[in-house]
Amino acid sequence: MSSSAPVVSVRGLVKRYGRTTAVDGLDLALDAGQVLALLGPNGAGKTTTVEVCEGFVTADAGEVRVLGTDPAGAPDALRARIGVMPQGGGAYPGVRAAEMLRLVAACSAHPLDVGWLTSVLGLDSCARTPYKRLSGGQQQRLALACAVVGRPELVFLDEPTAGMDPQGRRLVWELIGALRRDGVAVLLTTHLMEEAEELADLVVIVDHGQVVAQGSPVALTATTEQQELRFRARPGMDVAGLAAALPTGYGADEPIAGRYVVRGRIDPVVLSTITGWCAAQGALADDVQVARRSLEDVFLELTGRELRS
Amino acid sequence: MTAPRPTAGRTFPPGTFSPRPGGGSPGRMLAAQAATEVRLALRNGEQVLLTLLIPVVLMVGLATLELVPLPEPRIAAVAPGVLALAVMSTAFTGQAIALGFDRRYGVVRRLAATALPRWLLVAGRLVAVLGVVALQMVLLGALAAGLGWRPEPAGLGWALLLVVLGCAAFGALGILLGGTRGAARGRAVATWAGVRLRGGGGIAIPLDRLPEPLAAVGAVLPSGALAEGLRDTLTTGDPPGAGPVLVLLGWTVAAAAIAVRAVRLR
């Protein structure tokens, strides 16, 4: 595989289950050492796409290349090079956490130290607990350990932080950051905006099995001119006068007494105009906040749908 | 143009995850999976009840209590039947139940996602079954010997062959059942079928002690074939007849052929 070819390349992927079209002409490309987040609501086709890339599901149409091979054609050779965290994990119901990790480690040639990984992922206290008695977060952390223990060059993480507490989520984010730093490509699915914004080099927003937008989190959230600035000041100031002081197209409002909103593209000149105008009214603009669009806003604009967890 | 990232240096020193991929050696993968499954079987109370306690109780009970009319020494008729029951409990009932729950908990998919090839996934289960059966044969054989059983030494090698064939036939049936049904339903069917095969299949009672139509049915069931084959060869030392061997092979081929098409990973 040449270094310039993408690690994962999907073109025109279609997968149907009966009458339901789970994936409908999806394209994506992941380069080495990058983190790609497939973001979308439940039923958007994220898991199906990942399972096609892992060789568990065969595509009805389209071309899929993972590490230069067709995953459906030679899954065994491919799986020696990738790490997989299936949605909801997976283990023998009665197996102890550390025992399961040792088994998965035995399936790779140069595994990470199982004892270290168990301890760093906070699984020491439940290392001897049967899998079915682990909490959801513990099962998730074990599944993540199983995905990375074989030192893969590409990792698929299907909803890696589902069911985790905030500390667990932070730890997983830290681990994904370390994977990226060490040159491991990561394809993850999530319906958490915050997760995609925090981790991904590239966000691919999917809905109804199709890509509705893609780009870096910054590019996706900065594509609009529509921004807003909020501040607090003495109630009852003349908002029409404020709007008049700003360039045309800007709006100003006082939705709640003492709380003001200015809509339009916020740049340093606009900001200084606002604070200057307040000063001229004998008021101090306090608690000034510029709100950038979130991925959630982007998603709502593109699909008109709320993300559900 | 990248988003701010959490600092990863302290918990995960640089280079921790530097890729070094590759699959484990087949021998090591097979040993790890089979050893894990044997440990799980021996740790599971329901499985131990099925594979060891019930056969022990039957062996002692049938050999010492005159509940069923049997020729003396009673243990000579009882021991082979109980050994056949032990094989069936592990390879059929045990596998059907375990695989059903393993699928529900996603372990088959989990292991398939590693470098473990599909054939090793099946081989690991079979080696684990053989391991548990070997343990059963040693413990139950010793118990039977303690109860006065003196099998014909020349028949021991043939008996081993029959046990392996029995594992194949029952194992294929167990995988077919556990791999195609929901876990709870699979367990119900496996338990029911186990009781049927035990009662009507010549395990507890030799086929020649059963009324003719039942005996005929018993002879073509894998349980009857295994029990009768073991009884013959361990009593006479002669090779088993073609009948039991062909019945066991037939069940193996038929169940495996359907299982290859019908078994689902989850």
Side-chain angles (χ1 to χ4, degrees):
Chain A
M1 196 189 82
S2 83
S3 59
S4 60
V7 175
V8 177
S9 154
V10 174
R11 259 179 294 191
L13 175 63
V14 175
K15 179 64 192 177
R16 295 183 199 90
Y17 293 106
R19 283 195 195 159
T20 313
T21 303
V23 182
D24 189 7
L26 185 137
D27 300 313
L28 60 85
L30 168 64
D31 289 326
Q34 278 200 327
V35 176
L36 184 153
L38 266 181
L39 178 70
N42 291 342
K46 305 187 297 288
T47 296
T48 302
T49 302
V50 169
E51 288 182 343
V52 169
C53 293
E54 293 162 352
F56 281 123
V57 170
T58 38
D60 290 324
E63 196 198 36
V64 180
R65 283 281 175 277
V66 178
L67 298 171
T69 64
D70 174 6
D76 289 343
L78 176 63
R79 287 183 196 140
R81 299 172 64 189
I82 65 173
V84 172
M85 178 177 179
Q87 197 175 109
Y92 298 98
V95 79
R96 291 168 181 154
E99 195 176 22
M100 188 66 204
L101 185 56
R102 271 197 301 277
L103 171 57
V104 173
C107 295
S108 52
H110 313 284
L112 296 172
D113 185 273
V114 169
W116 170 79
L117 193 57
T118 309
S119 136
V120 84
L121 284 178
L123 292 168
D124 267 345
S125 62
C126 61
R128 292 179 59 77
T129 305
Y131 180 75
K132 63 183 170 193
R133 285 213 276 277
L134 296 176
S135 73
Q138 289 168 335
Q139 290 186 348
Q140 285 287 84
R141 274 178 277 147
L142 174 61
L144 184 67
C146 289
V148 301
V149 72
R151 304 183 68 176
E153 51 197 295
L154 166 65
V155 179
F156 292 97
L157 307 174
D158 201 350
E159 304 204 350
T161 58
M164 279 193 185
D165 58 21
Q167 291 90 330
R169 188 172 299 159
R170 272 283 144 198
L171 180 69
V172 171
W173 288 3
E174 199 177 329
L175 187 145
I176 293 172
L179 287 172
R180 179 181 178 278
R181 177 202 63 202
D182 289 340
V184 182
V186 179
L187 197 163
L188 63 92
T189 73
T190 183
H191 50 239
L192 298 177
M193 298 293 170
E194 199 191 353
E195 188 158 282
E197 289 198 85
E198 178 91 24
L199 296 173
D201 298 291
L202 184 64
V203 177
V204 177
I205 302 181
V206 289
D207 194 25
H208 299 301
Q210 294 178 321
V211 174
V212 292
Q214 60 180 311
S216 72
V218 173
L220 276 175
T221 52
T223 45
T224 178
E225 301 295 295
Q226 189 59 52
Q227 284 179 312
E228 61 183 36
L229 178 142
R230 292 170 178 270
F231 65 93
R232 292 174 185 236
R234 167 170 64 77
M237 294 194 297
D238 171 23
V239 286
L242 173 57
L246 291 163
T248 38
Y250 282 77
D253 201 1
E254 186 186 5
I256 302 168
R259 298 192 183 186
Y260 296 84
V261 181
V262 175
R263 292 195 180 76
R265 210 175 85 82
I266 308 301
D267 58 24
V269 177
V270 170
L271 183 60
S272 85
T273 307
I274 294 167
T275 50
W277 182 84
C278 288
Q281 308 292 310
L284 173 68
D286 196 11
D287 199 8
V288 178
Q289 291 183 342
V290 179
R292 193 167 59 105
R293 285 202 317 173
S294 69
L295 271 179
E296 183 127 27
D297 300 327
V298 176
F299 186 86
L300 284 172
E301 281 164 33
L302 289 168
T303 66
R305 296 214 282 148
E306 297 251 11
L307 272 172
R308 297 167 307 272
S309 47
Chain B
M1 284 261 303
T2 53
R5 262 158 236 294
T7 47
R10 237 179 308 163
T11 317
F12 307 103
T16 302
F17 297 111
S18 296
R20 209 174 163 203
S25 73
R28 190 156 153 258
M29 293 195 274
L30 181 67
Q33 188 201 346
T36 304
E37 294 198 7
V38 168
R39 280 199 304 272
L40 288 172
L42 298 180
R43 218 186 278 153
N44 181 316
E46 184 186 31
Q47 296 267 42
V48 172
L49 181 75
L50 206 63
T51 54
L52 281 173
L53 295 184
I54 291 176
V56 164
V57 168
L58 273 179
M59 180 97 80
V60 175
L62 286 170
T64 56
L65 306 173
E66 309 239 339
L67 297 172
V68 197
L70 287 174
E72 292 296 330
R74 295 177 65 87
I75 189 68
V78 168
V82 173
L83 292 180
L85 166 78
V87 170
M88 185 181 78
S89 305
T90 298
F92 174 69
T93 320
Q95 268 306 296
I97 294 173
L99 181 56
F101 281 93
D102 288 355
R103 279 169 58 230
R104 182 199 275 182
Y105 280 85
V107 73
V108 184
R109 172 67 64 104
R110 168 65 268 168
L111 291 177
T114 67
L116 201 67
R118 212 182 158 101
W119 69 267
L120 260 180
L121 206 60
V122 177
R125 293 196 91 88
L126 292 180
V127 170
V129 165
L130 290 174
V132 174
V133 167
L135 189 71
Q136 289 175 301
M137 295 301 116
V138 169
L139 292 176
L140 294 170
L143 174 66
L147 291 166
W149 186 40
R150 297 293 175 267
E152 191 59 47
L156 289 176
W158 295 114
L160 189 65
L161 174 77
L162 283 170
V163 164
V164 170
L165 287 177
C167 284
F170 283 120
L173 285 165
I175 285 175
L176 177 59
L177 183 57
T180 52
R181 301 289 157 138
R185 192 141 167 248
R187 171 156 65 178
V189 176
T191 310
W192 175 83
V195 172
R196 292 285 93 195
L197 289 173
R198 228 170 288 162
I203 285 221
I205 306 161
L207 290 178
D208 57 15
R209 299 261 153 176
L210 290 173
E212 181 46 40
L214 268 184
V217 172
V220 296
L221 290 176
S223 50
L226 179 58
E228 282 304 297
L230 287 175
R231 221 167 253 139
D232 282 349
T233 193
L234 288 170
T235 312
T236 63
D238 295 335
V245 172
L246 287 177
V247 167
L248 290 175
L249 282 175
W251 281 98
T252 305
V253 170
I258 306 173
V260 164
R261 283 172 190 79
V263 166
R264 289 186 300 270
L265 288 182
R266 61 174 183 188

